[in-house]
Each structure stands twice: as C-alpha cells, then as structure tokens.
Amino acid sequence: PAPPSTLSWRRVPSSTGPVPRSRHGHRAVAIRELVIIFGGGNEGIADELHVYNTATNQWFLPAVRGDIPPGCAAHGFVCDGTRILVFGGMVEYGRYSSDLYELQASRWLWKKIKPQPPSVGSPPCPRLGHSFSLYGNKCYLFGGLANESEDSNNNIPRYLNDFYELELQHGSGVVGWSIPMTKGNLPSPRESHTAIVYCRKDLGNPKMYIFGGMCGCRLNDLWELDIETMTWSRPETKGMVPLPRSLHTANVIGNKMYVFGGWVPQTVEDEISARDGEWKCTSSFSYLNLDTTEWIGLISDCQEDKKNLLPGPRAGHCAVAVGTRLYIWSGRDGYRKAWNNQVCCKDLWYLDTEKPPAPSQVQLIRATTNSFQVKWDEVPTVEGYLLQLNANSPAPTVTGGTVQVTSNSLLKLEAKENITEPENIVTQDATKKNHLDSRGSKESNVPSLLPKTTPLRQMATVKTRERQWYDVGIFKSNSALVSQYYLLPEEKSSISNKVENADVPDYSLLKKQDLFPGTVYRFRVAAINGCGVGPFSKVSEFKTCIPGFPGAPSTVRITKSVDCIHLSWEPPVSPSGNILEYSAYLAIRTTQVHENPNQLVFMKIYCGLKTSCIVTAAQLSNAHVDYTSRPAIVFRISAKNERGYGPATQVRWLQGKVDTKCNVKCDLSAL
C-alpha cells in the first residue's frame, strides 16, 4: 500500500453523458468498472438510477423497468454480484420507508421484494440513516432514525440500535428477516453511521465494524461484531481517533477502512468546541488498519493551501471502491444548513490507494518483418501502461549520434525456424509465444486524466543480466503497434532497477531504434496509476518474421457446437508468395517430463488448404488447460509457403471454472 505521502487525489475532468444533478444522501455501489448511484436529494428527492463508467469517463441512464421504486435518501444500498438491494430511506420529508427492492443490473430490472417477517419479534420499522451490510448470503441491518409521529410534518425522532439479519436466496429474491441472538453490549442507538465487513485472508472470523454516527451529538466510537459468534465488542485502537462525525463514508480496500468527510465539531486550537450546534463539514481523511486496529490520519482539515488538489469538505456524499481506487462524488458542503437549501458539491474525485498489480503477459496479435501488434489484459482503474522490450541480439547504444549494431546479429537468428512439422511439437511456455485472446482486443476510450507532472510523462529503462530493457512507450489502452523502441545514451545505461525512482530522460530527447526481421524480442508491461508504476508482467517472447516466409494467420475465431468446436482464421496479411497449406495444433496433456515444467506439448489436429477446421470432442478431451493467466485451451495455427512455415498465431480459448479431475469434454456444455 502507498504511504500517506504518496497518496494523490485526482479530480475527474468533465465527463460525457447525462451527468446527474448534485445531491446528498445518495448511495453508490460498484459492479466491475461501473459505479451505480441511486437516490439522494437536493430540492427534491431523486428517483433516477445513474451509472458512471470509470473506464470511459461516461455517465448514462439505463432504461430500467419493472417495479421501479420511488426516490429515497439515506437508504440502505448493497450489491451482491450483479444484483442490488435497496432498503428503507426517506421518501419525502418526515416520511420514511421499510420497503425492500431488488435490481437485477444485468437486465436493469427492478422488483419489489416482500421478505418473511421474523419468527419472533417485529420486522424492521421505517427508517433512514441506517447501515445495511452484506456478507455471504446475508445482509445486516443496524440502527437508523425512525419518526415516532404519525404526522410526517410533526417529526418526533427516535434513534435506533436494533439489529436484523436478512437471508438472501441465490441469484434473486430473499428468504426473510430474523433477529439474531447476540452476545455483549449492543452499540448505542445512532443514525448516519457507517458499517463495513472485513475478513482476514489468513485467519479469523468475518467482522463487522460500526463507526461514528449521530444520536443527539456526533460519535466517534468503534464497534466490532464477530459475525460467526454474533458477539459485540469495543476493540482497543492505537493512533489518533478521527473526530466525532456523522454522514461520513467508510470503505474497505485491502485491510484498511478509509473514512472520509462528514459533519464534525468545530475545533479551536485542536480543542473541540463545547457549545452545541457548532458543527462543520470536513474533508479529513483517515484509515483504520483492520489487522492492527491502528488509526492513521492521511489528510487533515487544515490544508487550505491544497484545496484545489483535494476534495473539499462535504457530508452526505457517496464513496465507492473500484478495485483499489476510491471514488467520491457530490455531497453537501455545509455552508447552508437548512435541509431544503443545501449547497451541494458537483465534483467527482478518485484516489489510488495502492500501485496497480502486474498485468497479464503480453500477447501477440500479429507479427511482420519489422513490427508486432500486441495486447494484454486490461487492469482496472489505471492511467496507462509502460511497455518495455529487450532484443536477443546485443543491445545497440547511442554513440556519436549514430546507432551501432553488430553485423552478424541477424545471421545467427535466421537459422532458427519458428515451427517444425512433426506430429508432436514441444514449445516453450505458450504464454511466451504468439497468443491471442479468442475474444479479441478492445480499444479503450479512456480520456487523459493526467497532469503534465505525472510519472506517465517519464521513461524508464532497467538493466538485468547484461540485457537492457528499453521503453517502447506509454500506452493509454491495452494494445500497441510496436515498430520502434527508445534508446538510452551510453552514459545513461545503468539506471536504477526501480522504475518509479529512476532519474529518467524525456522521450523527446531520445533516439529510436527500428525492429529487425527474424529477431526475437522479449516484452513486459507494467500498469501505472496515481501511486506510480506497478510490478512488471511475466516476460513474453516473440520473433519478427523472416523475409520470404509467410506471416502468421490472423483473426482467429472459435465457435462452439454441441459436440465439437469450429476453428477458423484469415490468411496472413503478408503471405510472401502462395500459401501451400495451414497447420493447426492443440496443446495436450502429457506425462512426459521436461526440463521446463511450463513447456507445452502440441499435437497437430489439421493440415490442409482450408482456413478452418473442426476440433472434435475426442480431441478436446485430451486438451491441456493452461493456467498461466486465466484458464484456457491453447491452439496454434501457422501457414506454409514455398520457403516453409512462418510464425504461428497462438490463441487461448478462455474457459470457465474447469475441474482438473474431469476431461474437457464434460465442460463444453458449460462454456
């Protein structure tokens, strides 16, 4: 995780699509790269469902149907896979709800749900400002604010500390409410608190943590519920506890609970004002390490000089984690305190809390004599990718303004053929050869969100085992056409192995080197976000085509039938003469022992002039499932002309969950 000093908030520039009006009391969840926002109010309660695509910086209004709920604010809002549950909230001033709705986001279908009441006791009363938390197949409801008056205009508030469990059915629907028997003292009544669920990966039971809230005054107490034993306790914490607050947000990323904003008491010289009613919105930002229960303060309210670099003070905003990135949108700024006359923030911010993980290995789409078209799997919530290569030949350096290359470096490589013709082919690890996701690559439309001082403006080169890694460049999307790379001046050839800390020159000052025919190049890629450059992927290895030999077949397609699959492809873009035949191979299971356990054994399944073939269930039953990234069955297709076979296109046919004890034939129906 990034240290506090490296955390950098980014304000999202103007978005496309129908941007929702600013508000407070709304709620948000994330489904993959989508942030889904519902409810809230500002001059009326909003009833639209808004979706923000973090990958394209675009808002849209889905065409919802079914039992569309009325607008509500300060409601419960949780996500279970691709379904969302909404419970309670304020539907108009002084009138609260106890209705439960389900949204199937895959179809944008709303449905009103009527859970069974508890076997003992009453179902939850109408309320707002409660917490509604999901763990496993159960939602946990705690606290909130009820109106004791039957007259919505005569509000008599009652703070709650009741605790309910809602059991969900798989996929859709619910079983009903229950009131769990708990041990220990319940948290005191409150509303506008936060609740999160955390389970350590290595050990321990899942825990629910409740922090802060309002009960006549703001609170900053922390409560823990062991979900397995249903035991409440007050954990001891270390560090500086955040100020008492309500209408804040709390989100779990990794082993940390990030707390942002809310209403806090006015302070004078670090002393909390003793007088009632002196409250303000805050932009303070802290986290609780859930493994050590230590509070760490990240941003305090006294950083006015950074107000353009940080989200402003706010309460009643929404915050949602997309991967390791935290998004914050809207909320009220507190300058006007009347409910119907709020000034709400319109801005959208995000914060990367950790460096991004390593991407998948670089995959080859197409090779020519002097270029590669490559791709890799997208990494969520990144700002770009750093692609590097090194060559199998001695690395050229810049001396005296000219490029020096050894004269015999290509001759040694031309003697190596890419494919031989025996029935069984032993290759290196398939992911280090030509391979293509059968679903193809997607072009990213992510706009530039980067300031000119971002690490993406820099270039880095590292030296390992006497081979130099060179930058191909920084790419916004997860694909690249590689025909050149950047060279370092000779005096810069020993740059630090830590890319993000390297003293690197500007790309515009560097010379470029063209790729050579018949040369093996190694590739690796790293993702970059606001915390810097993440770790590099595993190394992939590709060879440019040798002049006169055919290029690799392209546009591989796989179509599944009942008892077989249909494999088809397009001829090479550069056939270099007449194509005499194609060969297709399937990676198979083998009991042979190889020096490299990652080596794959390929069996020829087709040879002929057609650009398609049938792969039978019997052949597939012997297929090897490659787990180097996502589970996949590996095919390889090459073309032959008068000079021989050219490079192969390798395609990874992505599988679902594969039972390694069962052959592939039995999994076909589930794909």
Side-chain angles (χ1 to χ4, degrees):
S5 60
T6 66
L7 292 175
S8 176
W9 284 98
R10 303 280 176 86
R11 182 170 180 167
V12 178
S14 56
S15 308
T16 59
V19 179
R21 72 180 191 268
S22 57
R23 63 193 64 192
H24 59 96
H26 51 293
R27 300 289 186 260
V29 295
I31 299 179
R32 294 187 290 274
E33 75 277 11
L34 301 180
V35 174
I36 300 169
I37 293 172
F38 181 68
N42 185 27
E43 299 179 359
I45 294 178
D47 59 1
E48 309 97 346
L49 188 77
H50 290 269
V51 181
Y52 174 69
N53 188 320
T54 61
T56 61
N57 192 27
Q58 184 177 26
W59 291 93
F60 66 93
L61 281 164
V64 295
R65 55 197 176 92
D67 306 324
I68 300 174
C72 57
H75 46 287
F77 201 55
V78 298
C79 181
D80 175 31
T82 58
R83 69 168 162 176
I84 296 170
L85 293 170
V86 180
F87 174 75
M90 184 175 72
V91 291
E92 61 182 50
Y93 182 77
R95 189 165 71 87
Y96 309 152
S97 168
S98 60
D99 292 335
L100 179 68
Y101 288 87
E102 176 187 270
L103 173 69
Q104 291 289 343
S106 59
R107 295 176 288 158
W108 302 118
L109 178 65
W110 283 106
K111 184 180 180 182
K112 188 172 184 179
I113 304 292
K114 295 184 178 179
Q116 292 291 325
S119 57
V120 178
S122 303
C125 66
R127 66 189 66 203
L128 63 72
H130 48 283
S131 59
F132 198 48
S133 309
L134 175 75
Y135 182 75
N137 69 331
K138 293 178 181 177
C139 287
Y140 298 96
L141 169 68
F142 176 78
L145 182 69
N147 185 359
E148 290 284 77
S149 173
E150 296 182 1
D151 180 5
S152 61
N153 294 317
N154 181 27
N155 197 358
I156 303 175
R158 178 167 64 96
Y159 295 96
L160 305 171
N161 69 337
D162 49 358
F163 181 58
Y164 287 87
E165 186 178 84
L166 177 66
E167 185 177 352
L168 311 183
Q169 291 177 345
H170 179 70
S172 178
V174 300
V175 177
W177 293 106
S178 62
I179 302 176
M181 296 293 294
T182 61
K183 305 170 188 174
N185 294 324
L186 276 169
S188 60
R190 65 192 66 205
E191 57 100 3
S192 298
H193 55 282
T194 54
I196 61 93
V197 177
Y198 172 69
C199 185
R200 290 183 61 171
K201 292 181 180 179
D202 51 349
L203 52 91
N205 295 337
K207 308 285 179 63
M208 184 169 76
Y209 292 90
I210 288 175
F211 175 70
M214 173 73 172
C215 183
C217 62
R218 270 80 187 179
L219 306 168
N220 66 345
D221 50 347
L222 180 72
W223 292 82
E224 177 186 281
L225 173 70
D226 186 314
I227 292 178
E228 293 292 332
T229 64
M230 282 292 157
T231 303
W232 289 100
S233 62
R234 288 283 305 273
E236 293 185 6
T237 62
K238 300 183 286 281
M240 182 67 71
V241 180
L243 289 174
R245 66 192 60 213
S246 63
L247 291 170
H248 54 288
T249 52
N251 301 84
V252 176
I253 301 177
N255 66 340
K256 297 175 174 59
M257 178 179 78
Y258 290 91
V259 175
F260 179 83
W263 283 103
V264 298
Q266 292 275 15
T267 57
V268 178
E269 296 181 353
D270 295 330
E271 293 293 328
I272 296 176
S273 171
R275 288 183 294 170
D276 291 337
E278 293 194 7
W279 303 91
K280 65 173 184 177
C281 285
T282 181
S283 59
S284 58
F285 185 46
S286 306
Y287 73 72
L288 176 69
N289 185 313
L290 295 167
D291 293 335
T292 63
T293 61
E294 180 179 8
W295 285 104
I296 302 292
L298 298 175
I299 297 171
S300 64
D301 255 346
C302 58
Q303 295 175 308
E304 285 296 319
D305 58 323
K306 296 183 179 180
K307 60 184 178 181
N308 293 325
L309 302 176
L310 302 171
R314 67 194 66 204
H317 53 284
C318 70
V320 62
V322 180
T324 58
R325 177 177 286 182
L326 181 67
Y327 282 87
I328 286 176
W329 180 70
S330 201
R332 53 179 168 171
D333 63 13
Y335 293 135
R336 300 178 189 173
K337 299 182 175 60
W339 174 268
N340 293 321
N341 194 18
Q342 293 292 341
V343 176
C344 288
C345 311
K346 299 178 181 179
D347 46 354
L348 173 65
W349 293 77
Y350 70 81
L351 175 76
D352 288 310
T353 60
E354 299 177 12
K355 291 180 181 179
S360 65
Q361 287 176 295
V362 178
Q363 307 164 19
L364 182 66
I365 298 175
R366 187 176 296 110
T368 68
T369 56
N370 60 1
S371 71
F372 297 109
Q373 180 75 38
V374 296
K375 63 160 286 190
W376 50 91
D377 291 346
E378 289 185 50
V379 178
T381 64
V382 298
E383 296 169 356
Y385 302 91
L386 171 63
L387 181 64
Q388 292 186 334
L389 64 74
N390 70 38
N392 223 5
S393 54
T397 58
V398 178
T399 57
T402 60
V403 177
Q404 306 293 330
V405 183
T406 55
S407 59
N408 63 346
S409 61
L410 301 183
L411 298 175
K412 296 177 182 177
L413 294 167
E414 286 182 359
K416 296 181 180 179
E417 296 293 341
N418 281 8
I419 288 188
T420 54
E421 210 183 333
E423 286 293 315
N424 292 287
I425 301 176
V426 178
T427 73
Q428 292 185 349
D429 179 2
T431 56
K432 293 184 180 178
K433 290 291 181 183
N434 313 347
H435 70 194
L436 166 68
D437 232 307
S438 62
R439 299 182 301 180
S441 62
K442 296 180 180 178
E443 191 64 33
S444 175
N445 296 317
V446 183
S448 176
L449 305 180
L450 307 177
K452 293 184 179 179
T453 56
T454 179
L456 294 184
R457 302 283 300 177
Q458 299 176 335
M459 189 283 285
T461 304
V462 295
K463 189 176 183 181
T464 55
R465 297 185 181 179
E466 299 183 356
R467 280 202 177 94
Q468 197 80 21
W469 284 100
Y470 296 91
D471 275 18
V472 176
I474 301 292
F475 297 89
K476 286 290 185 185
S477 64
N478 62 324
S479 63
L481 177 62
V482 182
S483 59
Q484 296 176 317
Y485 57 93
Y486 292 96
L487 294 175
L488 276 180
E490 194 169 12
E491 65 271 16
K492 295 284 187 179
S493 60
S494 59
I495 282 178
S496 164
N497 201 35
K498 291 187 177 181
V499 173
E500 64 273 19
N501 297 326
D503 179 18
V504 294
D506 192 323
Y507 277 131
S508 62
L509 303 177
L510 299 175
K511 294 185 179 292
K512 296 179 181 179
Q513 171 66 51
D514 292 333
L515 301 189
F516 291 101
T519 304
V520 174
Y521 292 91
R522 293 174 179 84
F523 286 87
R524 66 182 189 178
V525 64
I528 309 174
N529 66 13
C531 290
V533 182
F536 278 97
S537 66
K538 294 180 181 178
V539 175
S540 300
E541 185 178 283
F542 313 122
K543 185 177 179 181
T544 48
C545 298
I546 301 172
F549 287 83
S554 62
T555 320
V556 179
R557 294 184 178 88
I558 297 176
T559 306
K560 185 171 72 74
S561 299
V562 176
D563 57 353
C564 66
I565 64 168
H566 184 75
L567 195 63
S568 64
W569 55 90
E570 297 292 334
V573 177
S574 304
S576 300
N578 296 321
I579 299 299
L580 302 181
E581 66 183 27
Y582 296 94
S583 287
Y585 301 86
L586 169 68
I588 59 170
R589 296 194 300 272
T590 179
T591 57
Q592 299 177 29
V593 179
H594 302 292
E595 293 181 6
N596 182 357
N598 291 324
Q599 285 182 339
L600 298 181
V601 174
F602 283 82
M603 177 182 70
K604 184 183 286 187
I605 55 174
Y606 171 77
C607 183
L609 267 172
K610 291 183 178 181
T611 57
S612 64
C613 68
I614 297 294
V615 185
T616 65
Q619 291 170 323
L620 287 171
S621 67
N622 198 33
H624 167 78
V625 179
D626 177 38
Y627 286 94
T628 51
S629 56
R630 289 176 290 178
I633 294 173
V634 182
F635 296 97
R636 193 171 178 179
I637 305 157
S638 59
K640 179 182 179 182
N641 65 7
E642 291 86 349
R643 291 198 60 182
Y645 274 97
T649 293
Q650 185 158 294
V651 59
R652 305 181 75 251
W653 183 32
L654 297 179
Q655 306 293 294
K657 294 182 179 179
V658 178
D659 184 354
T660 55
K661 297 179 181 179
C662 176
N663 63 31
V664 177
K665 179 181 177 182
C666 70
D667 293 308
L668 278 175
S669 60
L671 297 173

